[in-house]
Amino acid sequence: MFAELTGEDIHYDKIEAPVDGFEQAVNAFFADELAVGCNVTVPFKEKAFVLSEANCNPEAKTAKAVNTLHREGNALFGYTTDGMGLVADLLNATELKGKRILLIGAGGAARGVVQPLLGSEPELLMITNRTLAKAESIVTDIKHDAFCAVSIEEAKKQLPDVIINCTSASLTGDLPMVSDGLFSQCKLAYDMVYSAKATSFMNYAKEQGARSAKDGFGMLVEQAAAAFTIWTGKTPETAGVIQKLRP
């Protein structure tokens, strides 16, 4: 769909790499002189990072994982596009500059989005987690004056404008670590998980006073658009694609 929108002629297909043969599969793919790039799924994102570590974007270096590979000449470049996709989708719904943003969860999903979020110039970016030490380790790795680890009670005092669930809790219908009063000034509650119906996090946020709630389907499309731009230099219009593919 992106190719049709931008006038590109591409072939994009799935290749199943053996669990113990990822490097060989990548080498075989790029042996084709027409091969420009590929996306990488679990369980190979960490191996893709190792292959492209010398030429990675900051988000990939922080997450130590790569979901997009791009060949330029003889060099292999690695990217994590999830953060780009998240920021693009958030900006479709709200302003981020000068706002207070809270991330819930401190796993790989959170690590991959911190730097793009900081690039949007929030007043404050907070991160919380059941095990606060995990959140603190991300703050230690990504030193920035506007970035800090907080307890959920400390987060409530900051009255966040945007709250992002970076955990997978909604996949099982559970809630991440939240607290009554956390959403009292929230303009947008965002769940990285997506489904045909509102997630448990979205429902709770609305009940608690969030003005709007959104799931991560737009992020999925936007991160793919970011990869397409890396490969082609062209930026596709995503709104129609999101609308057409929306579950």
Side-chain angles (χ1 to χ4, degrees):
M1 293 174 76
F2 293 155
E4 290 172 0
L5 287 168
T6 58
E8 285 286 314
D9 181 14
I10 67 168
H11 179 73
Y12 184 84
D13 207 350
K14 299 186 293 293
I15 299 172
E16 184 177 9
V19 172
D20 58 353
F22 175 71
E23 295 84 353
Q24 293 87 340
V26 170
N27 291 335
F29 172 73
F30 282 113
D32 184 337
E33 63 180 20
L34 295 178
V36 174
C38 59
N39 292 126
V40 180
T41 65
V42 292
F44 298 125
K45 292 183 180 182
E46 290 78 12
K47 291 183 178 180
F49 169 72
V50 172
L51 286 180
S52 58
E53 186 172 0
N55 301 299
C56 280
N57 68 339
E59 301 95 296
K61 289 181 179 179
T62 300
K64 292 183 171 49
V66 156
N67 72 349
T68 301
L69 291 171
H70 180 215
R71 183 179 65 182
E72 291 188 71
N74 293 320
L76 190 62
F77 292 79
Y79 300 83
T80 291
T81 62
D82 288 338
M84 304 177 204
L86 172 64
V87 169
D89 197 38
L90 288 171
L91 289 174
N92 289 332
T94 190
E95 177 65 46
L96 298 178
K97 186 175 182 179
K99 303 303 181 184
R100 295 178 299 278
I101 303 172
L102 173 66
L103 300 178
I104 301 175
R111 276 188 173 271
V113 303
V114 168
Q115 281 154 318
L117 285 170
L118 289 170
S120 68
E121 301 180 22
E123 175 190 320
L124 181 64
L125 177 62
M126 300 169 281
I127 183 168
T128 190
N129 193 63
R130 292 188 191 278
T131 306
L132 192 57
K134 285 190 69 176
E136 291 169 341
S137 72
I138 297 179
V139 173
T140 299
D141 291 343
I142 308 173
K143 296 179 176 64
H144 193 286
D145 291 343
F147 184 40
C148 63
V150 295
S151 69
I152 200 72
E153 293 304 314
E154 291 169 331
K156 283 168 61 173
K157 296 174 185 176
Q158 293 293 339
L159 299 175
D161 301 295
V162 179
I163 300 175
I164 304 169
N165 176 25
C166 302
T167 76
S168 59
S170 293
L171 290 174
T172 53
D174 297 320
L175 283 173
M177 184 178 62
V178 288
S179 176
D180 289 356
L182 182 64
F183 296 86
S184 61
Q185 298 298 315
C186 180
K187 297 177 179 64
L188 174 64
Y190 190 97
D191 197 339
M192 286 190 182
V193 169
Y194 62 91
S195 67
K197 298 187 293 184
T199 67
S200 50
F201 174 80
M202 293 167 64
N203 288 331
Y204 177 84
K206 293 282 287 196
E207 290 166 5
Q208 287 289 312
R211 292 185 197 171
S212 64
K214 190 174 183 179
D215 72 7
F217 185 75
M219 175 182 170
L220 176 72
V221 175
E222 295 286 1
Q223 65 83 28
F228 183 84
T229 301
I230 288 166
W231 299 327
T232 66
K234 297 181 179 181
T235 304
E237 173 60 47
T238 55
V241 176
I242 292 172
Q243 185 176 7
K244 189 168 183 177
L245 295 180
R246 178 83 225 186

mmCIF file of all heavy atoms in Angstrom, residues 96-140:
data_model
loop_
_atom_site.group_PDB
_atom_site.id
_atom_site.type_symbol
_atom_site.label_atom_id
_atom_site.label_comp_id
_atom_site.label_asym_id
_atom_site.label_seq_id
_atom_site.Cartn_x
_atom_site.Cartn_y
_atom_site.Cartn_z
ATOM 1 N N LEU A 96 2.767 17.116 22.028
ATOM 2 C CA LEU A 96 3.696 16.542 22.993
ATOM 3 C C LEU A 96 4.669 17.577 23.559
ATOM 4 O O LEU A 96 5.116 17.454 24.703
ATOM 5 C CB LEU A 96 4.509 15.409 22.342
ATOM 6 C CG LEU A 96 3.708 14.204 21.840
ATOM 7 C CD1 LEU A 96 4.637 13.187 21.189
ATOM 8 C CD2 LEU A 96 2.905 13.548 22.968
ATOM 9 N N LYS A 97 4.995 18.582 22.773
ATOM 10 C CA LYS A 97 5.951 19.593 23.220
ATOM 11 C C LYS A 97 5.428 20.320 24.457
ATOM 12 O O LYS A 97 4.292 20.788 24.492
ATOM 13 C CB LYS A 97 6.215 20.604 22.099
ATOM 14 C CG LYS A 97 7.299 21.616 22.431
ATOM 15 C CD LYS A 97 7.597 22.506 21.238
ATOM 16 C CE LYS A 97 8.719 23.492 21.562
ATOM 17 N NZ LYS A 97 9.041 24.353 20.391
ATOM 18 N N GLY A 98 6.275 20.362 25.473
ATOM 19 C CA GLY A 98 5.904 21.051 26.700
ATOM 20 C C GLY A 98 4.953 20.299 27.602
ATOM 21 O O GLY A 98 4.493 20.834 28.614
ATOM 22 N N LYS A 99 4.657 19.034 27.284
ATOM 23 C CA LYS A 99 3.709 18.245 28.072
ATOM 24 C C LYS A 99 4.444 17.321 29.040
ATOM 25 O O LYS A 99 5.639 17.062 28.910
ATOM 26 C CB LYS A 99 2.804 17.421 27.150
ATOM 27 C CG LYS A 99 2.036 18.237 26.126
ATOM 28 C CD LYS A 99 1.176 19.307 26.779
ATOM 29 C CE LYS A 99 0.389 20.094 25.734
ATOM 30 N NZ LYS A 99 -0.388 21.196 26.331
ATOM 31 N N ARG A 100 3.697 16.806 30.001
ATOM 32 C CA ARG A 100 4.225 15.817 30.948
ATOM 33 C C ARG A 100 3.745 14.435 30.515
ATOM 34 O O ARG A 100 2.538 14.198 30.441
ATOM 35 C CB ARG A 100 3.754 16.136 32.375
ATOM 36 C CG ARG A 100 4.299 17.450 32.905
ATOM 37 C CD ARG A 100 3.788 17.770 34.300
ATOM 38 N NE ARG A 100 2.336 17.888 34.333
ATOM 39 C CZ ARG A 100 1.665 18.981 33.985
ATOM 40 N NH1 ARG A 100 2.313 20.054 33.567
ATOM 41 N NH2 ARG A 100 0.349 19.009 34.054
ATOM 42 N N ILE A 101 4.693 13.551 30.235
ATOM 43 C CA ILE A 101 4.391 12.225 29.691
ATOM 44 C C ILE A 101 4.845 11.160 30.692
ATOM 45 O O ILE A 101 5.946 11.254 31.253
ATOM 46 C CB ILE A 101 5.104 12.017 28.345
ATOM 47 C CG1 ILE A 101 4.713 13.109 27.340
ATOM 48 C CG2 ILE A 101 4.795 10.630 27.769
ATOM 49 C CD1 ILE A 101 5.513 13.077 26.050
ATOM 50 N N LEU A 102 4.021 10.159 30.889
ATOM 51 C CA LEU A 102 4.361 9.042 31.773
ATOM 52 C C LEU A 102 4.359 7.742 30.992
ATOM 53 O O LEU A 102 3.379 7.422 30.307
ATOM 54 C CB LEU A 102 3.349 8.943 32.921
ATOM 55 C CG LEU A 102 3.479 7.719 33.833
ATOM 56 C CD1 LEU A 102 4.799 7.748 34.613
ATOM 57 C CD2 LEU A 102 2.290 7.611 34.781
ATOM 58 N N LEU A 103 5.448 6.984 31.102
ATOM 59 C CA LEU A 103 5.525 5.631 30.560
ATOM 60 C C LEU A 103 5.306 4.638 31.691
ATOM 61 O O LEU A 103 5.944 4.742 32.742
ATOM 62 C CB LEU A 103 6.903 5.363 29.937
ATOM 63 C CG LEU A 103 7.346 6.256 28.776
ATOM 64 C CD1 LEU A 103 8.748 5.854 28.335
ATOM 65 C CD2 LEU A 103 6.376 6.146 27.621
ATOM 66 N N ILE A 104 4.418 3.677 31.480
ATOM 67 C CA ILE A 104 4.203 2.612 32.458
ATOM 68 C C ILE A 104 4.827 1.344 31.901
ATOM 69 O O ILE A 104 4.416 0.840 30.847
ATOM 70 C CB ILE A 104 2.702 2.393 32.728
ATOM 71 C CG1 ILE A 104 2.059 3.674 33.262
ATOM 72 C CG2 ILE A 104 2.502 1.252 33.720
ATOM 73 C CD1 ILE A 104 0.549 3.577 33.443
ATOM 74 N N GLY A 105 5.823 0.814 32.605
ATOM 75 C CA GLY A 105 6.547 -0.364 32.147
ATOM 76 C C GLY A 105 7.969 0.006 31.758
ATOM 77 O O GLY A 105 8.214 1.107 31.255
ATOM 78 N N ALA A 106 8.887 -0.926 31.981
ATOM 79 C CA ALA A 106 10.294 -0.633 31.730
ATOM 80 C C ALA A 106 10.983 -1.775 30.983
ATOM 81 O O ALA A 106 12.156 -2.054 31.191
ATOM 82 C CB ALA A 106 11.023 -0.364 33.053
ATOM 83 N N GLY A 107 10.230 -2.432 30.097
ATOM 84 C CA GLY A 107 10.813 -3.486 29.278
ATOM 85 C C GLY A 107 11.367 -2.942 27.977
ATOM 86 O O GLY A 107 11.596 -1.741 27.822
ATOM 87 N N GLY A 108 11.548 -3.834 27.013
ATOM 88 C CA GLY A 108 12.110 -3.441 25.722
ATOM 89 C C GLY A 108 11.253 -2.442 24.979
ATOM 90 O O GLY A 108 11.773 -1.549 24.286
ATOM 91 N N ALA A 109 9.932 -2.547 25.116
ATOM 92 C CA ALA A 109 9.038 -1.609 24.423
ATOM 93 C C ALA A 109 9.279 -0.188 24.903
ATOM 94 O O ALA A 109 9.290 0.759 24.107
ATOM 95 C CB ALA A 109 7.588 -2.014 24.649
ATOM 96 N N ALA A 110 9.457 -0.030 26.203
ATOM 97 C CA ALA A 110 9.717 1.303 26.751
ATOM 98 C C ALA A 110 11.090 1.819 26.320
ATOM 99 O O ALA A 110 11.237 2.980 25.924
ATOM 100 C CB ALA A 110 9.620 1.264 28.276
ATOM 101 N N ARG A 111 12.089 0.953 26.393
ATOM 102 C CA ARG A 111 13.442 1.369 26.015
ATOM 103 C C ARG A 111 13.492 1.920 24.590
ATOM 104 O O ARG A 111 14.202 2.882 24.300
ATOM 105 C CB ARG A 111 14.408 0.192 26.129
ATOM 106 C CG ARG A 111 14.955 -0.053 27.522
ATOM 107 C CD ARG A 111 16.039 -1.101 27.528
ATOM 108 N NE ARG A 111 16.658 -1.195 28.841
ATOM 109 C CZ ARG A 111 17.695 -0.472 29.239
ATOM 110 N NH1 ARG A 111 18.234 0.409 28.395
ATOM 111 N NH2 ARG A 111 18.203 -0.605 30.436
ATOM 112 N N GLY A 112 12.730 1.301 23.709
ATOM 113 C CA GLY A 112 12.802 1.667 22.305
ATOM 114 C C GLY A 112 12.125 2.975 21.950
ATOM 115 O O GLY A 112 12.304 3.485 20.841
ATOM 116 N N VAL A 113 11.345 3.539 22.883
ATOM 117 C CA VAL A 113 10.585 4.751 22.549
ATOM 118 C C VAL A 113 11.032 5.986 23.321
ATOM 119 O O VAL A 113 10.581 7.096 23.018
ATOM 120 C CB VAL A 113 9.066 4.539 22.764
ATOM 121 C CG1 VAL A 113 8.566 3.358 21.931
ATOM 122 C CG2 VAL A 113 8.725 4.333 24.233
ATOM 123 N N VAL A 114 11.910 5.826 24.302
ATOM 124 C CA VAL A 114 12.288 6.965 25.149
ATOM 125 C C VAL A 114 12.918 8.096 24.335
ATOM 126 O O VAL A 114 12.517 9.264 24.447
ATOM 127 C CB VAL A 114 13.248 6.513 26.272
ATOM 128 C CG1 VAL A 114 13.876 7.726 26.963
ATOM 129 C CG2 VAL A 114 12.507 5.670 27.305
ATOM 130 N N GLN A 115 13.909 7.779 23.505
ATOM 131 C CA GLN A 115 14.613 8.847 22.794
ATOM 132 C C GLN A 115 13.740 9.600 21.785
ATOM 133 O O GLN A 115 13.788 10.835 21.737
ATOM 134 C CB GLN A 115 15.893 8.299 22.156
ATOM 135 C CG GLN A 115 16.988 8.173 23.204
ATOM 136 C CD GLN A 115 18.022 7.123 22.855
ATOM 137 O OE1 GLN A 115 17.707 6.049 22.389
ATOM 138 N NE2 GLN A 115 19.278 7.454 23.101
ATOM 139 N N PRO A 116 12.906 8.920 20.989
ATOM 140 C CA PRO A 116 11.998 9.681 20.135
ATOM 141 C C PRO A 116 11.030 10.557 20.934
ATOM 142 O O PRO A 116 10.708 11.673 20.512
ATOM 143 C CB PRO A 116 11.253 8.596 19.353
ATOM 144 C CG PRO A 116 12.184 7.446 19.335
ATOM 145 C CD PRO A 116 12.869 7.481 20.663
ATOM 146 N N LEU A 117 10.565 10.073 22.081
ATOM 147 C CA LEU A 117 9.691 10.888 22.912
ATOM 148 C C LEU A 117 10.425 12.119 23.450
ATOM 149 O O LEU A 117 9.880 13.229 23.453
ATOM 150 C CB LEU A 117 9.131 10.065 24.076
ATOM 151 C CG LEU A 117 8.028 9.072 23.717
ATOM 152 C CD1 LEU A 117 7.731 8.152 24.895
ATOM 153 C CD2 LEU A 117 6.753 9.807 23.290
ATOM 154 N N LEU A 118 11.662 11.944 23.878
ATOM 155 C CA LEU A 118 12.448 13.091 24.333
ATOM 156 C C LEU A 118 12.677 14.081 23.197
ATOM 157 O O LEU A 118 12.718 15.291 23.414
ATOM 158 C CB LEU A 118 13.788 12.617 24.913
ATOM 159 C CG LEU A 118 13.713 11.900 26.258
ATOM 160 C CD1 LEU A 118 15.064 11.268 26.608
ATOM 161 C CD2 LEU A 118 13.292 12.870 27.368
ATOM 162 N N GLY A 119 12.796 13.552 21.981
ATOM 163 C CA GLY A 119 12.969 14.414 20.813
ATOM 164 C C GLY A 119 11.760 15.285 20.523
ATOM 165 O O GLY A 119 11.872 16.295 19.809
ATOM 166 N N SER A 120 10.605 14.913 21.075
ATOM 167 C CA SER A 120 9.395 15.711 20.878
ATOM 168 C C SER A 120 9.322 16.886 21.863
ATOM 169 O O SER A 120 8.331 17.618 21.874
ATOM 170 C CB SER A 120 8.149 14.840 21.007
ATOM 171 O OG SER A 120 7.976 14.389 22.340
ATOM 172 N N GLU A 121 10.339 17.025 22.703
ATOM 173 C CA GLU A 121 10.500 18.157 23.623
ATOM 174 C C GLU A 121 9.396 18.264 24.680
ATOM 175 O O GLU A 121 8.783 19.322 24.858
ATOM 176 C CB GLU A 121 10.610 19.479 22.851
ATOM 177 C CG GLU A 121 11.770 19.511 21.880
ATOM 178 C CD GLU A 121 11.857 20.836 21.138
ATOM 179 O OE1 GLU A 121 11.318 21.858 21.635
ATOM 180 O OE2 GLU A 121 12.445 20.860 20.048
ATOM 181 N N PRO A 122 9.137 17.177 25.403
ATOM 182 C CA PRO A 122 8.177 17.293 26.503
ATOM 183 C C PRO A 122 8.774 18.104 27.646
ATOM 184 O O PRO A 122 9.995 18.240 27.759
ATOM 185 C CB PRO A 122 7.961 15.834 26.926
ATOM 186 C CG PRO A 122 9.276 15.170 26.613
ATOM 187 C CD PRO A 122 9.760 15.836 25.349
ATOM 188 N N GLU A 123 7.911 18.638 28.490
ATOM 189 C CA GLU A 123 8.409 19.290 29.701
ATOM 190 C C GLU A 123 9.077 18.267 30.601
ATOM 191 O O GLU A 123 10.132 18.513 31.193
ATOM 192 C CB GLU A 123 7.251 19.959 30.447
ATOM 193 C CG GLU A 123 7.651 20.561 31.795
ATOM 194 C CD GLU A 123 6.457 20.997 32.617
ATOM 195 O OE1 GLU A 123 5.503 21.547 32.031
ATOM 196 O OE2 GLU A 123 6.472 20.777 33.840
ATOM 197 N N LEU A 124 8.465 17.080 30.683
ATOM 198 C CA LEU A 124 8.970 16.017 31.550
ATOM 199 C C LEU A 124 8.544 14.668 30.993
ATOM 200 O O LEU A 124 7.387 14.498 30.599
ATOM 201 C CB LEU A 124 8.404 16.189 32.970
ATOM 202 C CG LEU A 124 8.840 15.190 34.040
ATOM 203 C CD1 LEU A 124 10.337 15.312 34.301
ATOM 204 C CD2 LEU A 124 8.066 15.425 35.338
ATOM 205 N N LEU A 125 9.473 13.735 30.948
ATOM 206 C CA LEU A 125 9.167 12.348 30.588
ATOM 207 C C LEU A 125 9.481 11.484 31.793
ATOM 208 O O LEU A 125 10.631 11.420 32.242
ATOM 209 C CB LEU A 125 9.991 11.895 29.383
ATOM 210 C CG LEU A 125 9.796 10.427 28.957
ATOM 211 C CD1 LEU A 125 8.354 10.156 28.541
ATOM 212 C CD2 LEU A 125 10.752 10.049 27.833
ATOM 213 N N MET A 126 8.443 10.840 32.327
ATOM 214 C CA MET A 126 8.603 9.989 33.504
ATOM 215 C C MET A 126 8.429 8.532 33.105
ATOM 216 O O MET A 126 7.714 8.223 32.157
ATOM 217 C CB MET A 126 7.549 10.356 34.558
ATOM 218 C CG MET A 126 7.608 11.777 35.051
ATOM 219 S SD MET A 126 6.141 12.212 36.050
ATOM 220 C CE MET A 126 4.924 12.511 34.756
ATOM 221 N N ILE A 127 9.063 7.651 33.867
ATOM 222 C CA ILE A 127 8.878 6.221 33.651
ATOM 223 C C ILE A 127 8.699 5.543 35.004
ATOM 224 O O ILE A 127 9.399 5.860 35.972
ATOM 225 C CB ILE A 127 10.067 5.605 32.871
ATOM 226 C CG1 ILE A 127 9.810 4.121 32.583
ATOM 227 C CG2 ILE A 127 11.394 5.817 33.576
ATOM 228 C CD1 ILE A 127 10.778 3.512 31.586
ATOM 229 N N THR A 128 7.717 4.649 35.072
ATOM 230 C CA THR A 128 7.467 3.919 36.309
ATOM 231 C C THR A 128 7.352 2.437 36.002
ATOM 232 O O THR A 128 7.068 2.039 34.868
ATOM 233 C CB THR A 128 6.195 4.439 37.012
ATOM 234 O OG1 THR A 128 6.115 3.878 38.325
ATOM 235 C CG2 THR A 128 4.935 4.074 36.231
ATOM 236 N N ASN A 129 7.550 1.625 37.014
ATOM 237 C CA ASN A 129 7.504 0.171 36.841
ATOM 238 C C ASN A 129 7.283 -0.471 38.203
ATOM 239 O O ASN A 129 7.632 0.113 39.235
ATOM 240 C CB ASN A 129 8.834 -0.314 36.237
ATOM 241 C CG ASN A 129 8.756 -1.745 35.743
ATOM 242 O OD1 ASN A 129 7.994 -2.059 34.828
ATOM 243 N ND2 ASN A 129 9.536 -2.625 36.348
ATOM 244 N N ARG A 130 6.696 -1.665 38.199
ATOM 245 C CA ARG A 130 6.495 -2.368 39.480
ATOM 246 C C ARG A 130 7.819 -2.526 40.212
ATOM 247 O O ARG A 130 7.900 -2.354 41.424
ATOM 248 C CB ARG A 130 5.852 -3.733 39.237
ATOM 249 C CG ARG A 130 4.421 -3.661 38.745
ATOM 250 C CD ARG A 130 3.755 -5.019 38.700
ATOM 251 N NE ARG A 130 2.484 -4.964 37.994
ATOM 252 C CZ ARG A 130 1.336 -4.569 38.532
ATOM 253 N NH1 ARG A 130 1.312 -4.211 39.798
ATOM 254 N NH2 ARG A 130 0.223 -4.545 37.815
ATOM 255 N N THR A 131 8.865 -2.894 39.455
ATOM 256 C CA THR A 131 10.219 -2.923 40.013
ATOM 257 C C THR A 131 10.890 -1.623 39.576
ATOM 258 O O THR A 131 11.343 -1.495 38.434
ATOM 259 C CB THR A 131 11.010 -4.133 39.493
ATOM 260 O OG1 THR A 131 10.264 -5.325 39.759
ATOM 261 C CG2 THR A 131 12.373 -4.218 40.156
ATOM 262 N N LEU A 132 10.927 -0.652 40.468
ATOM 263 C CA LEU A 132 11.387 0.684 40.096
ATOM 264 C C LEU A 132 12.832 0.676 39.614
ATOM 265 O O LEU A 132 13.219 1.495 38.772
ATOM 266 C CB LEU A 132 11.231 1.643 41.274
ATOM 267 C CG LEU A 132 11.403 3.136 40.959
ATOM 268 C CD1 LEU A 132 10.419 3.591 39.882
ATOM 269 C CD2 LEU A 132 11.244 3.971 42.229
ATOM 270 N N ALA A 133 13.625 -0.271 40.105
ATOM 271 C CA ALA A 133 15.033 -0.334 39.695
ATOM 272 C C ALA A 133 15.174 -0.518 38.186
ATOM 273 O O ALA A 133 16.130 -0.013 37.575
ATOM 274 C CB ALA A 133 15.744 -1.467 40.432
ATOM 275 N N LYS A 134 14.239 -1.240 37.561
ATOM 276 C CA LYS A 134 14.292 -1.420 36.104
ATOM 277 C C LYS A 134 14.072 -0.093 35.390
ATOM 278 O O LYS A 134 14.723 0.202 34.377
ATOM 279 C CB LYS A 134 13.241 -2.436 35.655
ATOM 280 C CG LYS A 134 13.584 -3.883 35.965
ATOM 281 C CD LYS A 134 12.621 -4.836 35.279
ATOM 282 C CE LYS A 134 12.793 -4.838 33.777
ATOM 283 N NZ LYS A 134 11.918 -5.838 33.113
ATOM 284 N N ALA A 135 13.169 0.716 35.901
ATOM 285 C CA ALA A 135 12.948 2.043 35.324
ATOM 286 C C ALA A 135 14.163 2.930 35.532
ATOM 287 O O ALA A 135 14.590 3.658 34.631
ATOM 288 C CB ALA A 135 11.709 2.676 35.951
ATOM 289 N N GLU A 136 14.738 2.839 36.712
ATOM 290 C CA GLU A 136 15.921 3.651 37.022
ATOM 291 C C GLU A 136 17.102 3.286 36.139
ATOM 292 O O GLU A 136 17.904 4.150 35.764
ATOM 293 C CB GLU A 136 16.285 3.498 38.500
ATOM 294 C CG GLU A 136 15.260 4.148 39.436
ATOM 295 C CD GLU A 136 15.465 3.778 40.882
ATOM 296 O OE1 GLU A 136 16.149 2.762 41.152
ATOM 297 O OE2 GLU A 136 14.929 4.490 41.761
ATOM 298 N N SER A 137 17.199 1.999 35.747
ATOM 299 C CA SER A 137 18.319 1.588 34.892
ATOM 300 C C SER A 137 18.207 2.205 33.499
ATOM 301 O O SER A 137 19.211 2.529 32.867
ATOM 302 C CB SER A 137 18.388 0.058 34.799
ATOM 303 O OG SER A 137 17.332 -0.459 34.002
ATOM 304 N N ILE A 138 16.965 2.387 33.012
ATOM 305 C CA ILE A 138 16.782 3.034 31.712
ATOM 306 C C ILE A 138 17.174 4.505 31.808
ATOM 307 O O ILE A 138 17.822 5.054 30.908
ATOM 308 C CB ILE A 138 15.325 2.876 31.231
ATOM 309 C CG1 ILE A 138 14.998 1.396 31.025
ATOM 310 C CG2 ILE A 138 15.099 3.654 29.933
ATOM 311 C CD1 ILE A 138 13.579 1.129 30.585
ATOM 312 N N VAL A 139 16.813 5.156 32.903
ATOM 313 C CA VAL A 139 17.184 6.556 33.111
ATOM 314 C C VAL A 139 18.701 6.693 33.180
ATOM 315 O O VAL A 139 19.283 7.648 32.647
ATOM 316 C CB VAL A 139 16.527 7.103 34.387
ATOM 317 C CG1 VAL A 139 17.040 8.502 34.716
ATOM 318 C CG2 VAL A 139 15.007 7.124 34.234
ATOM 319 N N THR A 140 19.342 5.719 33.800
ATOM 320 C CA THR A 140 20.813 5.736 33.871
ATOM 321 C C THR A 140 21.429 5.595 32.488
ATOM 322 O O THR A 140 22.423 6.256 32.160
ATOM 323 C CB THR A 140 21.313 4.595 34.774
ATOM 324 O OG1 THR A 140 20.793 4.776 36.092
ATOM 325 C CG2 THR A 140 22.834 4.570 34.843
#
